[in-house]
Amino acid sequence: MKKVAYSEIKCYNGQAFGNTAPALFARFPIKFPPERKGYGETMHKNYIRFKYCVDFLFALFMLTATSPIFLVVAIAIKAEDGGKVIFKQLRTGKQGKKFYCYKFRSMKSTTVAFDKDHPVISDKNANVTKVGRVIRKFKIDELPQLFNVLKGDMCFIAPRPLLPVYDSDYRDWELIKFEMRPGLTGLGQVNGNGHLSIEDRKYYDAYYVMHASLFLDLKILFKTVLLVFVGEKKFLRPVTEAQYAALKREIKINYSSNDIICAELKLQASGK
């Protein structure tokens, strides 16, 4: 798909960000247009609020239930190489704001070369520790993100948070992703995850925010459990051009991106 050039995009107030940074994304204020008003929008927003409350309570329960796993993994990581147990990494969350995402450390070094087009590091990578291979296979390395849920940085099911290095790559219609807290698992993760292109993953992120529901969340939860045992490739579903076009039209009709997201993402693009 053709990416909108920075020169073609204006902020809502009609001003670009200046020559030192790309003009980013937000053409409209943070409001749903009249077509989205009413019962449907209210139900969607109420479900998201309900979802966040349930996620907080479930995170408390899960921290208690998995505390023995936390202890065993922490001991195993320390025993293998004596390094840090928890790895934290800056990610972009709701409204484009940055937060530290927590994981169990699974690699020997945290300064591995990063490829934006192939961001998922294989478990066969020489930098992955022996303990890391096990905890990554069963997604145990993600457990510390329960603390992110309690802090309000994340929720259980929603678009996964990406590194700030991607902040300047979003098209205007993809910014809807930042209207929700990011999740521990999401639609992209159960449709191929690392086997998808970054563009396909962003499609699934935007699709989820537009269609979040209890049924969709239950479907994602079920598939998340399955992929732990059968692998991500079994669920690979690349996105077609027709799907891109349909979602883009739907978002442009029903959603307007906002100035807060525009400003937050601009900070990364300007290097501030």
Side-chain angles (χ1 to χ4, degrees):
M1 292 183 64
K2 177 181 179 293
K3 183 180 289 188
V4 179
Y6 289 126
S7 60
E8 296 174 25
I9 302 174
K10 301 278 188 176
C11 289
Y12 173 60
N13 60 10
Q15 299 176 353
F17 284 123
N19 295 328
T20 58
L24 295 179
F25 323 120
R27 299 173 181 173
F28 307 103
I30 180 170
K31 289 183 179 180
F32 284 98
E35 296 92 328
R36 187 67 186 268
K37 295 289 184 184
Y39 181 76
E41 180 192 352
T42 301
M43 287 297 292
H44 186 269
K45 288 183 176 180
N46 285 343
Y47 175 69
I48 299 302
R49 294 189 188 100
F50 168 76
K51 172 187 175 75
Y52 289 163
C53 291
V54 172
D55 283 352
F56 179 84
L57 296 175
F58 190 57
L60 284 175
F61 168 76
M62 286 296 293
L63 276 172
T64 303
T66 60
S67 55
I69 299 177
F70 270 83
L71 180 61
V72 170
V73 173
I75 292 173
I77 292 173
K78 274 292 184 183
E80 181 171 1
D81 60 15
K84 292 182 178 180
V85 172
I86 299 295
F87 166 67
K88 67 177 183 179
Q89 190 176 53
L90 201 65
R91 300 291 180 101
T92 303
K94 184 179 179 182
Q95 300 293 301
K97 296 185 182 300
K98 307 300 179 286
F99 71 99
Y100 280 107
C101 183
Y102 304 118
K103 288 187 175 187
F104 281 123
R105 183 177 60 85
S106 62
M107 294 189 289
K108 300 170 187 176
S109 171
T110 57
T111 57
V112 181
F114 181 74
D115 183 350
K116 284 176 66 174
D117 296 320
H118 302 91
V120 179
I121 297 173
S122 169
D123 292 345
K124 297 179 181 179
N125 188 292
N127 193 51
V128 178
T129 65
K130 294 178 182 178
V131 173
R133 288 189 178 90
V134 176
I135 62 177
R136 284 160 65 96
K137 179 179 180 180
F138 295 103
K139 308 299 181 184
I140 296 172
D141 60 321
E142 311 280 359
L143 278 180
Q145 288 165 39
L146 291 171
F147 290 104
N148 287 119
V149 176
L150 291 180
K151 288 173 60 182
D153 296 328
M154 299 178 68
C155 59
F156 276 96
I157 299 173
R160 284 291 291 170
L162 297 183
L163 293 166
V165 70
Y166 291 102
D167 283 359
S168 61
D169 294 345
Y170 288 94
R171 302 178 183 91
D172 54 352
W173 65 274
E174 294 171 332
L175 295 181
I176 193 172
K177 166 182 178 172
F178 299 107
E179 296 292 348
M180 281 191 69
R181 297 174 187 174
L184 275 69
T185 186
L187 195 57
Q189 282 59 53
V190 299
N191 282 296
N193 197 21
H195 301 283
L196 292 169
S197 69
I198 192 66
E199 295 301 322
D200 284 3
R201 291 174 70 182
K202 288 195 289 185
Y203 165 88
Y204 282 118
D205 289 347
Y207 183 94
Y208 176 83
V209 177
M210 284 296 293
H211 301 93
S213 67
L214 178 60
F215 175 76
L216 183 56
D217 278 356
L218 291 175
K219 182 179 178 180
I220 293 171
L221 180 61
F222 177 71
K223 290 181 72 174
T224 298
V225 174
L226 280 182
L227 69 82
V228 170
F229 299 100
V230 303
E232 295 172 343
K233 200 168 185 179
K234 295 284 186 180
F235 294 101
L236 179 60
R237 289 185 62 192
V239 182
T240 66
E241 287 295 325
Q243 287 175 302
Y244 272 115
L247 181 62
K248 185 176 180 179
R249 284 195 301 270
E250 181 183 7
I251 290 175
K252 284 188 174 293
I253 291 171
N254 293 300
Y255 171 73
S256 299
S257 54
N258 74 64
D259 294 345
I260 297 174
I261 294 173
C262 184
E264 288 292 335
L265 297 185
K266 167 235 178 180
L267 293 177
Q268 174 63 25
S270 64
K272 294 180 180 179

